[in-house]
Coordinates of all heavy atoms in Angstrom, one line a residue:
M28 N -16.0 10.8 -10.1 CA -16.9 10.4 -9.1 C -16.4 10.8 -7.8 O -15.3 10.5 -7.4 CB -17.2 9.0 -9.2 CG -17.9 8.6 -10.4 SD -18.1 6.7 -10.5 CE -19.4 6.4 -9.4
G29 N -17.2 11.3 -6.9 CA -16.8 11.6 -5.6 C -16.9 10.4 -4.7 O -17.5 9.3 -5.0
T30 N -16.5 10.5 -3.5 CA -16.7 9.4 -2.5 C -18.0 9.4 -1.9 O -18.7 10.5 -1.7 CB -15.6 9.5 -1.4 OG1 -15.7 10.7 -0.7 CG2 -14.2 9.4 -2.0
T31 N -18.5 8.2 -1.6 CA -19.8 8.1 -1.0 C -19.6 7.7 0.4 O -18.7 7.1 0.9 CB -20.7 7.1 -1.7 OG1 -20.0 5.9 -1.7 CG2 -20.9 7.5 -3.2
S32 N -20.7 7.9 1.2 CA -20.5 7.6 2.6 C -20.9 6.2 2.9 O -20.5 5.7 4.0 CB -21.6 8.5 3.5 OG -22.9 8.4 3.1
C33 N -21.5 5.5 2.0 CA -21.9 4.1 2.1 C -20.9 3.3 1.5 O -20.4 3.5 0.4 CB -23.3 3.7 1.7 SG -23.5 4.0 -0.1
R34 N -20.6 2.2 2.1 CA -19.5 1.3 1.5 C -20.2 0.1 0.7 O -19.8 -0.1 -0.3 CB -18.7 0.6 2.6 CG -17.7 -0.4 2.0 CD -16.6 -0.8 2.8 NE -15.7 -1.6 2.0 CZ -14.7 -2.2 2.5 NH1 -14.3 -1.8 3.8 NH2 -13.9 -2.9 1.8
Y35 N -21.3 -0.5 1.2 CA -21.8 -1.6 0.5 C -23.3 -1.1 0.1 O -24.0 -0.6 0.8 CB -22.1 -2.7 1.5 CG -20.7 -3.3 1.9 CD1 -20.3 -3.1 3.2 CD2 -19.9 -4.2 1.2 CE1 -19.0 -3.5 3.6 CE2 -18.8 -4.6 1.6 CZ -18.3 -4.3 2.9 OH -17.1 -4.8 3.3
V36 N -23.6 -1.6 -1.3 CA -24.9 -1.3 -1.8 C -25.5 -2.8 -2.0 O -24.8 -3.6 -2.6 CB -24.9 -0.6 -3.1 CG1 -26.2 -0.4 -3.7 CG2 -24.2 0.8 -2.9
I37 N -26.7 -3.0 -1.5 CA -27.4 -4.2 -1.7 C -28.6 -4.2 -2.5 O -29.5 -3.3 -2.5 CB -27.8 -4.7 -0.3 CG1 -26.8 -4.7 0.8 CG2 -28.6 -6.0 -0.4 CD1 -27.2 -4.9 2.2
N38 N -28.6 -5.0 -3.5 CA -29.8 -5.2 -4.4 C -30.2 -6.6 -4.2 O -29.4 -7.6 -4.3 CB -29.4 -4.9 -5.8 CG -29.2 -3.5 -6.1 OD1 -29.9 -2.7 -5.7 ND2 -28.1 -3.3 -6.7
A39 N -31.5 -6.8 -3.9 CA -32.0 -8.2 -3.6 C -33.5 -8.2 -4.1 O -34.2 -7.3 -4.2 CB -31.9 -8.5 -2.1
T40 N -33.9 -9.6 -4.3 CA -35.3 -9.8 -4.7 C -35.9 -10.6 -3.6 O -35.2 -11.7 -3.2 CB -35.3 -10.6 -5.9 OG1 -34.6 -9.9 -7.1 CG2 -36.7 -10.9 -6.4
G41 N -37.1 -10.3 -3.2 CA -37.8 -11.0 -2.2 C -38.6 -12.2 -2.7 O -38.8 -12.4 -3.9
K42 N -39.0 -13.1 -1.8 CA -39.7 -14.3 -2.2 C -41.1 -14.0 -2.8 O -41.6 -14.7 -3.6 CB -39.9 -15.3 -1.1 CG -38.6 -15.8 -0.6 CD -38.7 -16.8 0.6 CE -37.4 -17.4 1.0 NZ -37.4 -18.1 2.2
G43 N -41.6 -12.8 -2.5 CA -42.9 -12.4 -3.0 C -42.8 -11.5 -4.2 O -43.8 -10.8 -4.6
G44 N -41.6 -11.4 -4.7 CA -41.3 -10.5 -5.9 C -41.0 -9.1 -5.5 O -40.8 -8.2 -6.3
E45 N -40.8 -8.8 -4.2 CA -40.3 -7.5 -3.7 C -38.9 -7.2 -4.3 O -38.1 -8.1 -4.4 CB -40.3 -7.4 -2.2 CG -41.7 -7.6 -1.6 CD -41.8 -9.2 -1.1 OE1 -40.9 -9.9 -1.6 OE2 -42.7 -9.5 -0.4
T46 N -38.5 -5.9 -4.4 CA -37.3 -5.5 -4.7 C -36.7 -4.7 -3.6 O -37.3 -3.8 -3.1 CB -37.2 -4.7 -6.0 OG1 -37.8 -5.4 -7.0 CG2 -35.9 -4.3 -6.4
Y47 N -35.5 -5.1 -3.1 CA -34.8 -4.4 -2.0 C -33.6 -3.7 -2.6 O -32.8 -4.2 -3.4 CB -34.4 -5.4 -0.9 CG -35.4 -6.1 -0.3 CD1 -36.0 -7.3 -0.7 CD2 -36.2 -5.5 0.9 CE1 -37.0 -7.9 -0.1 CE2 -37.2 -6.1 1.6 CZ -37.6 -7.3 1.1 OH -38.7 -8.0 1.7
H48 N -33.5 -2.5 -2.2 CA -32.3 -1.6 -2.5 C -31.9 -0.8 -1.3 O -32.7 0.0 -0.8 CB -32.5 -0.7 -3.7 CG -31.3 0.1 -4.1 ND1 -30.3 -0.4 -4.8 CD2 -31.0 1.4 -3.7 CE1 -29.4 0.6 -5.0 NE2 -29.8 1.6 -4.4
T49 N -30.7 -1.1 -0.7 CA -30.3 -0.5 0.6 C -28.9 -0.3 0.5 O -28.2 -0.9 -0.3 CB -30.9 -1.1 1.7 OG1 -30.6 -0.3 2.9 CG2 -30.2 -2.5 2.0
S50 N -28.3 0.4 1.4 CA -26.8 0.6 1.6 C -26.4 0.5 3.0 O -27.2 0.8 4.0 CB -26.4 2.0 1.1 OG -27.0 3.0 1.7
C51 N -25.2 0.1 3.2 CA -24.7 -0.1 4.7 C -23.3 0.5 4.7 O -22.5 0.5 3.8 CB -24.6 -1.6 4.9 SG -26.2 -2.4 5.0
Q52 N -23.0 0.9 6.0 CA -21.8 1.5 6.3 C -20.5 0.6 6.4 O -19.5 0.8 6.0 CB -21.8 2.3 7.5 CG -22.8 3.4 7.5 CD -22.3 4.7 6.7 OE1 -21.1 5.0 6.6 NE2 -23.2 5.6 6.1
G53 N -20.8 -0.5 7.2 CA -19.8 -1.5 7.4 C -20.2 -2.9 7.2 O -21.3 -3.2 6.9
K54 N -19.2 -3.8 7.5 CA -19.5 -5.3 7.3 C -20.4 -5.8 8.4 O -21.4 -6.6 8.1 CB -18.2 -6.1 7.3 CG -18.4 -7.5 6.9 CD -17.0 -8.2 6.9 CE -16.3 -7.8 5.5 NZ -15.1 -8.7 5.4
Q55 N -20.4 -5.3 9.6 CA -21.3 -5.7 10.6 C -22.7 -5.3 10.3 O -23.7 -6.0 10.5 CB -20.9 -5.2 12.0 CG -19.8 -5.9 12.6 CD -18.4 -5.6 12.0 OE1 -18.2 -4.6 11.5 NE2 -17.4 -6.5 12.1
E56 N -22.9 -4.1 9.8 CA -24.1 -3.6 9.4 C -24.8 -4.4 8.3 O -26.0 -4.8 8.3 CB -24.1 -2.0 9.2 CG -25.4 -1.4 8.8 CD -25.4 0.0 8.4 OE1 -24.3 0.6 8.6 OE2 -26.4 0.5 8.0
L57 N -23.9 -4.8 7.4 CA -24.3 -5.6 6.2 C -24.7 -7.1 6.8 O -25.9 -7.5 6.3 CB -23.1 -5.7 5.2 CG -23.3 -6.7 4.1 CD1 -24.4 -6.1 3.1 CD2 -21.9 -6.8 3.4
K58 N -24.0 -7.6 7.5 CA -24.3 -8.9 8.0 C -25.6 -8.9 8.8 O -26.5 -9.9 8.7 CB -23.3 -9.5 8.9 CG -22.1 -10.0 8.1 CD -20.9 -10.5 9.1 CE -19.8 -10.9 8.3 NZ -18.7 -11.6 9.2
K59 N -25.9 -7.9 9.7 CA -27.1 -7.7 10.4 C -28.2 -7.6 9.5 O -29.3 -8.2 9.7 CB -27.0 -6.6 11.4 CG -28.2 -6.3 12.2 CD -28.0 -5.6 13.5 CE -29.2 -5.3 14.3 NZ -30.3 -6.3 14.2
W60 N -28.1 -6.7 8.5 CA -29.2 -6.5 7.5 C -29.7 -7.9 6.9 O -30.8 -8.2 6.7 CB -29.0 -5.5 6.4 CG -30.2 -5.0 5.7 CD1 -31.0 -4.1 6.0 CD2 -30.6 -5.8 4.5 NE1 -32.0 -4.1 4.9 CE2 -31.7 -5.1 4.0 CE3 -30.1 -6.8 3.7 CZ2 -32.4 -5.4 2.8 CZ3 -30.8 -7.2 2.6 CH2 -31.9 -6.5 2.2
I61 N -28.6 -8.6 6.4 CA -28.9 -9.9 5.8 C -29.5 -10.9 6.7 O -30.5 -11.5 6.4 CB -27.7 -10.5 5.3 CG1 -27.2 -9.6 4.0 CG2 -27.9 -11.9 4.7 CD1 -25.8 -10.0 3.4
E62 N -29.2 -10.9 7.9 CA -29.7 -11.9 8.9 C -31.2 -11.5 9.3 O -32.0 -12.3 9.4 CB -28.9 -11.8 10.2 CG -27.5 -12.5 10.1 CD -26.7 -12.4 11.4 OE1 -27.2 -11.7 12.3 OE2 -25.5 -12.7 11.3
D63 N -31.4 -10.1 9.3 CA -32.7 -9.7 9.7 C -33.7 -10.0 8.5 O -34.9 -10.2 8.7 CB -32.7 -8.2 9.9 CG -32.1 -7.8 11.3 OD1 -31.8 -8.8 12.1 OD2 -31.8 -6.7 11.5
H64 N -33.3 -10.0 7.3 CA -34.2 -10.2 6.1 C -34.0 -11.5 5.4 O -34.6 -11.6 4.4 CB -33.9 -9.1 5.1 CG -34.2 -7.7 5.7 ND1 -33.3 -6.9 6.4 CD2 -35.3 -6.9 5.6 CE1 -33.9 -5.8 6.7 NE2 -35.2 -5.8 6.3
Q65 N -33.2 -12.4 6.0 CA -32.9 -13.7 5.3 C -34.1 -14.3 4.9 O -34.2 -15.0 3.8 CB -31.9 -14.5 6.2 CG -31.4 -15.7 5.5 CD -30.4 -16.4 6.3 OE1 -30.1 -16.0 7.5 NE2 -29.8 -17.5 5.8
E66 N -35.2 -14.5 5.8 CA -36.3 -15.3 5.5 C -37.2 -14.7 4.3 O -38.0 -15.4 3.8 CB -37.1 -15.5 6.8 CG -37.7 -14.3 7.3 CD -36.9 -13.4 8.1 OE1 -35.7 -13.8 8.6 OE2 -37.3 -12.3 8.5
K67 N -36.9 -13.5 4.1 CA -37.8 -12.7 3.1 C -37.2 -12.8 1.7 O -37.7 -12.4 0.6 CB -38.0 -11.3 3.4 CG -38.8 -11.1 4.7 CD -38.8 -9.7 5.0 CE -39.5 -9.4 6.4 NZ -39.4 -7.9 6.8
L68 N -35.8 -13.1 1.6 CA -35.0 -12.9 0.4 C -34.8 -14.2 -0.3 O -34.7 -15.2 0.3 CB -33.6 -12.3 0.8 CG -33.6 -11.0 1.4 CD1 -32.2 -10.6 1.9 CD2 -34.2 -9.8 0.5
L69 N -34.6 -14.1 -1.6 CA -34.0 -15.1 -2.5 C -32.5 -14.9 -2.5 O -32.1 -14.0 -3.1 CB -34.6 -15.1 -3.9 CG -36.1 -15.3 -4.1 CD1 -36.5 -15.0 -5.5 CD2 -36.4 -16.7 -3.7
L70 N -31.8 -15.8 -1.8 CA -30.4 -15.5 -1.6 C -29.7 -15.6 -3.0 O -28.5 -15.1 -3.1 CB -29.7 -16.5 -0.4 CG -30.4 -16.2 0.9 CD1 -29.7 -17.2 1.8 CD2 -30.1 -14.8 1.3
D71 N -30.2 -16.4 -3.9 CA -29.6 -16.5 -5.2 C -29.6 -15.2 -5.9 O -28.8 -15.0 -6.9 CB -30.3 -17.6 -6.1 CG -29.9 -19.0 -5.5 OD1 -29.2 -19.2 -4.7 OD2 -30.8 -19.9 -5.9
E72 N -30.5 -14.3 -5.6 CA -30.7 -13.1 -6.3 C -30.2 -11.9 -5.5 O -30.4 -10.7 -5.9 CB -32.2 -12.8 -6.6 CG -32.9 -13.8 -7.4 CD -32.5 -13.7 -8.8 OE1 -32.3 -12.7 -9.3 OE2 -32.4 -14.8 -9.4
L73 N -29.3 -12.1 -4.5 CA -28.7 -11.1 -3.6 C -27.4 -10.7 -4.3 O -26.6 -11.5 -4.7 CB -28.4 -11.8 -2.3 CG -27.8 -10.8 -1.2 CD1 -28.7 -9.7 -0.9 CD2 -27.3 -11.6 0.0
K74 N -27.3 -9.4 -4.5 CA -26.2 -8.7 -5.1 C -25.7 -7.7 -4.2 O -26.4 -6.7 -3.9 CB -26.5 -8.2 -6.5 CG -25.5 -8.3 -7.5 CD -26.0 -7.9 -8.8 CE -25.4 -8.7 -9.8 NZ -25.4 -8.3 -11.1
I75 N -24.4 -7.8 -3.8 CA -23.7 -6.8 -2.9 C -22.6 -6.1 -3.7 O -21.7 -6.8 -4.2 CB -23.2 -7.5 -1.6 CG1 -24.4 -8.2 -0.9 CG2 -22.5 -6.4 -0.7 CD1 -24.1 -9.0 0.2
T76 N -22.6 -4.8 -3.7 CA -21.5 -4.1 -4.4 C -20.7 -3.3 -3.3 O -21.2 -2.6 -2.5 CB -22.2 -3.2 -5.3 OG1 -22.9 -3.8 -6.2 CG2 -21.0 -2.3 -6.0
D77 N -19.4 -3.6 -3.3 CA -18.4 -2.8 -2.4 C -17.9 -1.7 -3.1 O -17.2 -1.7 -4.1 CB -17.3 -3.8 -2.1 CG -16.3 -3.2 -1.1 OD1 -16.5 -2.1 -0.7 OD2 -15.5 -3.9 -0.6
N78 N -18.3 -0.5 -2.7 CA -17.9 0.8 -3.3 C -16.3 1.1 -3.2 O -15.9 2.0 -3.9 CB -18.7 1.9 -2.9 CG -20.2 2.0 -3.3 OD1 -20.3 1.4 -4.5 ND2 -21.0 2.4 -2.6
R79 N -15.7 0.5 -2.2 CA -14.3 0.7 -2.0 C -13.4 -0.3 -2.8 O -12.2 -0.2 -2.7 CB -14.0 0.7 -0.6 CG -14.6 1.8 0.2 CD -14.1 1.9 1.6 NE -14.9 2.9 2.3 CZ -14.9 2.9 3.6 NH1 -14.2 2.1 4.4 NH2 -15.6 3.9 4.2
K80 N -14.0 -1.1 -3.5 CA -13.2 -2.1 -4.3 C -12.5 -1.4 -5.4 O -13.1 -0.6 -6.2 CB -14.1 -3.3 -4.7 CG -13.3 -4.4 -5.4 CD -14.3 -5.5 -5.7 CE -13.6 -6.7 -6.2 NZ -14.6 -7.7 -6.6
N81 N -11.3 -1.9 -5.8 CA -10.5 -1.2 -6.8 C -11.3 -1.5 -8.1 O -11.7 -2.6 -8.4 CB -9.1 -1.9 -6.8 CG -8.3 -1.2 -7.8 OD1 -8.7 -0.6 -8.9 ND2 -7.0 -1.1 -7.6
P82 N -11.6 -0.5 -9.0 CA -12.3 -0.7 -10.2 C -11.6 -1.6 -11.1 O -12.2 -2.5 -11.9 CB -12.3 0.8 -10.8 CG -12.0 1.6 -9.7 CD -11.3 1.0 -8.7
F83 N -10.2 -1.7 -11.1 CA -9.5 -2.8 -11.9 C -9.9 -4.1 -11.5 O -10.0 -4.9 -12.3 CB -7.9 -2.5 -11.8 CG -7.2 -3.3 -12.6 CD1 -7.2 -3.2 -14.0 CD2 -6.4 -4.2 -12.1 CE1 -6.5 -4.0 -14.8 CE2 -5.6 -5.1 -12.8 CZ -5.6 -5.0 -14.2
L84 N -10.0 -4.4 -10.2 CA -10.2 -5.7 -9.8 C -11.7 -6.2 -10.1 O -12.1 -7.3 -10.2 CB -10.0 -5.7 -8.2 CG -8.7 -5.7 -7.8 CD1 -8.6 -5.6 -6.2 CD2 -7.8 -6.7 -8.3
K85 N -12.6 -5.1 -10.2 CA -14.0 -5.3 -10.6 C -14.2 -6.0 -11.9 O -14.9 -6.9 -12.2 CB -14.9 -4.2 -10.6 CG -15.1 -3.6 -9.1 CD -15.9 -2.3 -9.2 CE -16.1 -1.8 -7.9 NZ -16.9 -0.5 -7.9
L86 N -13.1 -5.7 -12.9 CA -13.1 -6.3 -14.1 C -12.9 -7.9 -14.1 O -13.4 -8.6 -14.9 CB -12.0 -5.6 -15.0 CG -12.3 -4.2 -15.3 CD1 -11.1 -3.7 -16.1 CD2 -13.5 -3.9 -16.2
F87 N -12.1 -8.2 -13.1 CA -11.7 -9.7 -13.1 C -12.4 -10.5 -12.0 O -12.1 -11.6 -11.9 CB -10.2 -9.8 -12.8 CG -9.3 -9.1 -13.9 CD1 -8.7 -7.9 -13.7 CD2 -9.3 -9.8 -15.1 CE1 -8.0 -7.4 -14.7 CE2 -8.6 -9.2 -16.2 CZ -7.9 -8.0 -15.9
S88 N -13.3 -9.8 -11.3 CA -14.1 -10.5 -10.3 C -15.0 -11.6 -11.0 O -15.7 -11.3 -12.0 CB -14.9 -9.6 -9.4 OG -15.9 -9.0 -10.0
L89 N -15.3 -12.7 -10.4 CA -16.2 -13.7 -10.9 C -17.6 -13.4 -10.4 O -17.9 -13.1 -9.4 CB -15.7 -15.1 -10.4 CG -14.4 -15.5 -10.8 CD1 -14.1 -16.9 -10.1 CD2 -14.3 -15.7 -12.3
S90 N -18.5 -13.6 -11.4 CA -19.9 -13.3 -11.0 C -20.6 -14.6 -11.3 O -20.2 -15.5 -12.1 CB -20.5 -12.1 -11.8 OG -20.4 -12.5 -13.2
K91 N -21.8 -14.8 -10.7 CA -22.6 -16.0 -10.8 C -23.2 -16.1 -12.1 O -23.7 -15.2 -12.7 CB -23.6 -16.0 -9.6 CG -23.0 -16.1 -8.4 CD -24.2 -16.3 -7.4 CE -23.7 -16.2 -5.9 NZ -24.7 -16.2 -4.9

């Protein structure tokens, strides 16, 4: 796999059943997107993937 230009990938579900899929370059952009869309999202259904995280650590990360 090659490197990608986006660091974070966001998958979320909205309160009206909408599905959100977007990507962000950095942590500030990620926080801003979440703040801008917080009232529309089900925060329990928010999934953020860090593409730079070591694949070995992904095996041991805790998921909800």
Side-chain angles (χ1 to χ4, degrees):
M28 288 175 81
T30 59
T31 59
S32 61
C33 65
R34 176 161 184 182
Y35 299 102
V36 177
I37 304 168
N38 290 308
T40 303
K42 292 180 180 175
E45 305 92 348
T46 302
Y47 295 90
H48 178 80
T49 189
S50 58
C51 298
Q52 299 284 334
K54 193 175 275 190
Q55 282 76 21
E56 186 179 350
L57 172 67
K58 287 181 180 181
K59 178 157 177 31
W60 189 89
I61 293 172
E62 288 173 3
D63 291 345
H64 295 87
Q65 186 172 5
E66 67 279 351
K67 299 177 190 175
L68 299 175
L69 294 171
L70 296 179
D71 293 341
E72 299 292 324
L73 182 66
K74 215 170 219 201
I75 301 169
T76 305
D77 184 353
N78 286 331
R79 293 187 189 163
K80 188 174 183 180
N81 187 328
F83 182 71
L84 295 175
K85 288 181 185 179
L86 295 173
F87 297 107
S88 65
L89 299 175
S90 60
K91 294 181 185 178

